[in-house]
């Protein structure tokens, strides 16, 4: 009996504090994850912060605002978190004595969080879910970590003396005081059934590390989700101003409306997407600014509201990716609305030695665009809308560049936030050291959309059709030949200008057998697409799109 008092009965206090902190972190992480779905006001920490603000007397509030200025909210949430951390540690220390005490402590915090959430204006019962799930996850973590922190061992001789052994008394050793039995290496505590629980530091620390990972991952995911919600909401709230320079109507004859032929305007949902972003950058237009600096007379910084006040231009421009293979899908045409880049750059005053605009996106991608191309009068835009809709987030909301005639990797920066006016001999953009040319004018190309490669057709009259592009020069002719016969000129659809692709079609009397179809385009300067086959790297694929079909 007496001996039990000398045996440490639980994990040390620091271990309890650690378990409490990690469990609290898991609780908050899980709550934040769910708040990502149910809205930021359902995250109990924010709700408690808001409630504190409401309950704070006005003079104290004024003092806080005067002292912390714009950071007052961050200071408040930080303060709530520090208090929470202290209490979580305490809960862990107490839970070593009895798990139920710790769980009760977590519940008490859940009740405070729930009250704060529920008293927010417009709160509904479902808003309590993040708090409830957080408390549940924290409780599971607390119980699991405490159990993990101690290891059960089957009874040692010392324990046998305290409990009647089923075997012969000789086993105990007559009169032999158990205190002379070898001491356990670690503090031990008695458990029922002749077991000894020992504090196991290694298992505690590995368990705690696992808890930290869960807490961090859920918190990050939750923040990402609520960021997405906030940006989606801000995007839906944008009211697009009318263009000062509207584009004319798209000519009725621009779209031949043939089955299988790419429509003249690519719907936003079908528009190809190419970027280095693992998760789509979420840029709140209220926080967005565009900074223009470097070789300029005076640096300029614009907000989204500033940009929307400038005269807007509408333009039909076909984007093309340099990594598009001949016949590939990375090309699309849209009607863009934006501010002419040249207008904004002229405000900054470009120095005459500048030849490169090094633009940077919110996620750190960079892009080098020749100054002369942007300033030569073409409709190079800071675009805010695509096909009549506020720019989709994955296509660069709130603002992206669009420059007719240049591949996307040297011109079409999405989520653009910064432009350094510089020189090609001083700066390099993202793709240049990765094997792609510093400059990337789009090469004239043509593609067969119908029939598709490998199709089986019925013999007789059919239509071959596709698209061709030579941005900012324009497509003047498209020719098709079958089985290396004579080149025949295709019919060309109308276009609004030189910056879009152009649909084409040609009739063909298909005869039974296997046939090869080739296409080539000629631009408005009279240059015909080269037959020479080149891969996309370093500056765009060349060759004639060639398909084979079976006619039965
Ligand atoms: N921020 C950012 N912008 C970017 C890129 C990128 O990786 N990051 N890729 C460029 C490339 S290579 C192309 S082809 C176009 C594609 O634009 P889209 O995804 O809207 O079709 O975006 C350009 N803008
Ligand atoms: Mo690209």
């Amino acid at each position: 009996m007496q001996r039990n008092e000398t045996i440490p009965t639980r994990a040390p206090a620091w271990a309890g504090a650690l378990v409490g902190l990690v469990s609290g972190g898991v609780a908050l992480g899980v709550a934040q994850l769910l708040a990502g779905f149910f809205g930021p006001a359902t995250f109990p920490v924010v709700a408690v912060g808001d409630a504190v603000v409401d309950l704070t007397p006005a003079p104290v509030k004024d003092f806080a605002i005067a002292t912390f200025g714009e950071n007052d909210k961050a200071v408040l949430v930080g303060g709530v978190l520090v208090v929470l951390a202290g209490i979580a540690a305490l809960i862990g220390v107490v839970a070593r004595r009895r798990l139920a005490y710790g769980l009760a402590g977590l519940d008490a915090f859940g009740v405070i969080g729930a009250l704060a959430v529920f008293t927010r204006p417009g709160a509904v019962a479902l808003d309590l879910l993040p708090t409830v799930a957080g408390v549940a996850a924290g409780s599971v973590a607390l119980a699991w970590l405490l159990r993990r922190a101690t290891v059960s061992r089957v009874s040692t001789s010392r324990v046998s003396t305290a409990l009647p052994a089923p075997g012969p008394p000789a086993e105990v050793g007559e009169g032999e005081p158990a205190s002379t039995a070898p001491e356990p290496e670690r503090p031990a505590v008695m458990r029922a059934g002749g077991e000894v629980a020992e504090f196991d530091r290694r298992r505690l620390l590995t368990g705690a590390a696992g808890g930290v990972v869960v807490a961090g991952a859920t918190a990050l995911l939750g923040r990402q989700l609520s960021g997405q919600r906030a940006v989606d909401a801000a995007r839906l709230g944008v009211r697009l101003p009318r263009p000062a320079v509207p584009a004319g109507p798209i000519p009725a004859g621009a779209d031949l409306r043939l089955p299988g032929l790419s429509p003249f305007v690519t719907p936003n949902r079908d528009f190809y997407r190419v970027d280095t972003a693992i998760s789509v950058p979420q840029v709140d237009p209220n926080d967005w600014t565009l900074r223009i600096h470097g070789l300029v007379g005076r640096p300029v910084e614009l907000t989204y509201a500033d940009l929307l006040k400038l005269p807007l231009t509408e333009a039909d421009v076909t984007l093309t990716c340099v990594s598009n293979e001949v016949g590939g899908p990375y090309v699309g045409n849209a009607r863009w609305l934006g501010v002419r880049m040249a207008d904004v750059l002229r405000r900054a005053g470009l120095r005459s030695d500048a030849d490169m605009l090094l633009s940077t996106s919110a996620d750190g991608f960079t892009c080098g665009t020749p100054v002369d191309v942007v300033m030569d009068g073409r409709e190079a835009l800071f675009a805010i809308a695509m096909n009549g809709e506020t720019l989709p987030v994955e296509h660069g909301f709130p603002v992206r560049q669009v420059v007719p005639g240049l591949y996307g990797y040297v011109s079409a920066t999405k989520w653009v936030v910064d432009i350094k006016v510089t020189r090609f001999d001083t700066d390099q953009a993202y793709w240049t050291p990765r094997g792609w040319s510093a400059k990337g004018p789009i090469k004239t190309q043509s593609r067969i959309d119908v029939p598709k490669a490998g199709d089986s057709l019925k013999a007789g009259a059919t239509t071959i059709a596709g698209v061709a592009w030579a941005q900012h020069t324009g497509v003047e002719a498209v020719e098709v030949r079958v089985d290396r016969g004579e080149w025949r000129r295709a019919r060309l659809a109308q276009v609004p200008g030189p910056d879009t692709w152009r649909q084409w079609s040609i009739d063909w009397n298909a005869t039974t057998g296997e046939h090869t179809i080739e296409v080539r385009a000629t631009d408005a300067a009279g240059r015909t697409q080269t037959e020479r086959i080149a891969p996309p790297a370093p500056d765009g694929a060349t060759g004639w799109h060639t398909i084979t079909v079976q006619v039965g």
Side-chain angles (χ1 to χ4, degrees):
M1 272 291 136
Q2 236 189 351
R3 271 192 301 274
N4 277 345
E5 282 156 33
T6 67
I7 300 168
T9 53
R10 59 184 74 94
W14 70 263
L18 178 65
V19 166
L21 277 172
V22 172
S23 305
V26 168
L28 290 186
V30 167
Q32 181 136 59
L33 176 60
L34 269 94
F37 294 101
F38 293 95
T42 66
F43 183 47
V45 177
V46 169
V48 169
D50 286 342
V52 169
V53 170
D54 288 356
L55 298 173
T56 304
V60 179
K61 245 187 268 190
D62 294 344
F63 167 79
I65 292 169
T67 312
F68 304 119
E70 280 192 352
N71 296 324
D72 59 341
K73 188 103 185 183
V75 169
L76 179 68
V77 169
V80 172
L81 283 175
V82 166
V83 171
L84 277 180
I87 291 166
L90 212 65
I91 286 176
V93 171
V94 172
R96 292 174 312 148
R97 209 173 286 271
R98 251 181 108 157
L99 179 61
Y101 295 161
L103 296 181
L106 282 175
D107 286 347
F109 267 84
V111 169
I112 293 173
L115 275 174
V117 169
F118 207 60
T119 51
R120 294 295 88 206
V124 294
L126 220 55
D127 291 346
L128 295 179
L129 223 59
T131 307
V132 171
V135 168
S139 304
V140 169
L142 186 72
W144 181 74
L145 284 170
L146 278 178
R147 196 158 356 99
R148 204 180 151 81
T150 50
V151 172
S152 294
R153 295 261 166 105
V154 184
S155 61
T156 64
S157 58
R158 171 166 51 179
V159 176
S160 306
T161 62
L163 296 161
E171 208 195 336
V172 176
E174 50 186 308
E176 184 66 10
S179 58
T180 62
E183 279 292 340
E185 294 152 25
R186 285 174 282 222
V189 57
M190 296 278 289
R191 274 195 186 164
E195 281 184 356
V196 172
E198 291 177 0
F199 172 56
D200 188 325
R201 195 166 128 218
R202 251 185 68 130
R203 279 173 54 87
L204 167 68
L205 291 180
T206 51
V212 168
V213 169
V214 170
T218 47
L220 273 177
L221 205 63
R223 287 184 71 106
Q224 168 82 11
L225 283 172
S226 44
Q228 266 169 29
R229 282 174 52 109
V231 170
D232 285 348
R235 180 175 169 272
L236 290 175
V238 171
R239 294 218 29 195
L240 294 174
R242 295 183 170 283
V245 185
I250 289 167
D255 204 321
L256 303 171
R257 297 174 185 282
L258 295 172
L261 173 60
S262 303
F264 178 73
V265 176
T266 312
N268 290 354
R269 65 175 179 282
D270 299 336
F271 208 95
Y272 81 94
R273 181 186 155 203
V274 170
D275 52 60
T276 58
I278 296 162
S279 67
V280 180
Q282 304 291 324
V283 182
D284 190 323
N286 301 308
D287 302 334
W288 179 89
T289 61
L290 177 63
R291 208 164 72 90
I292 298 167
H293 58 104
L295 304 176
V296 294
R298 71 212 96 83
V300 166
E301 185 158 3
L302 289 174
T303 66
Y304 190 63
D306 294 337
L307 195 74
L308 264 57
K309 277 188 214 124
L310 296 175
L312 295 175
T313 296
E314 221 176 29
D316 298 301
V317 179
T318 297
L319 287 192
T320 311
C321 184
V322 69
S323 56
N324 197 39
E325 304 273 355
V326 173
Y330 300 137
V331 52
N333 181 51
R335 173 161 284 194
W336 308 93
L337 174 69
V339 174
R340 283 171 159 278
M341 291 175 68
D343 289 352
V344 177
L345 292 166
R346 245 183 308 245
R347 287 181 156 206
L350 300 181
R351 272 175 38 185
S352 58
D353 53 337
D355 65 1
M356 181 209 223
L357 303 171
L358 183 71
S359 51
T360 304
S361 68
D363 64 335
F365 168 82
T366 57
C367 176
T369 311
V371 166
D372 55 348
V373 171
V374 170
M375 302 304 286
D376 76 356
R378 73 185 73 192
E379 281 156 332
L381 301 178
F382 291 122
I384 57 161
M386 180 179 186
N387 292 329
E389 190 193 328
T390 303
L391 206 57
V393 175
E394 62 274 24
H395 292 293
F397 177 76
V399 181
R400 77 168 308 164
Q401 295 181 180
V402 172
V403 182
L406 302 181
Y407 286 122
Y409 82 111
V410 290
S411 70
T413 312
K414 304 190 273 188
W415 317 287
V416 62
V417 293
D418 187 281
I419 293 179
K420 179 186 178 191
V421 180
T422 180
R423 297 183 48 81
F424 278 95
D425 59 19
T426 16
D427 276 298
Q428 271 196 335
Y430 182 87
W431 285 111
T432 310
R434 291 170 171 81
W436 298 83
S437 170
K439 297 194 182 175
I442 295 175
K443 295 177 179 176
T444 299
Q445 265 298 340
S446 47
R447 184 178 78 191
I448 303 164
D449 284 350
V450 269
K452 292 261 168 280
D455 272 0
S456 297
L457 315 174
K458 279 205 198 87
T462 57
T463 302
I464 305 169
V467 285
W469 55 91
Q471 287 94 322
H472 206 57
T473 307
V475 172
E476 180 144 293
V478 171
E479 297 164 287
V480 174
R481 71 176 180 184
V482 177
D483 302 329
R484 301 192 158 256
E486 285 295 298
W487 286 104
R488 290 193 298 138
R489 281 187 92 134
R491 278 184 301 272
L492 293 178
Q494 286 183 278
V495 277
D499 294 337
T500 70
W501 61 13
R502 191 163 194 175
Q503 292 187 351
W504 56 266
S505 75
I506 192 167
D507 298 326
W508 176 43
N509 189 17
T511 54
T512 307
E514 185 180 270
H515 298 287
T516 302
I517 308 171
E518 291 169 283
V519 66
R520 69 180 187 192
T522 299
D523 72 14
R527 292 173 296 230
T528 299
Q529 233 182 284
T530 175
E531 181 179 14
R532 201 172 60 78
I533 293 170
D539 61 359
T542 61
W544 295 333
H545 189 207
T546 305
I547 67 166
T548 304
V549 294
Q550 301 290 334
V551 180

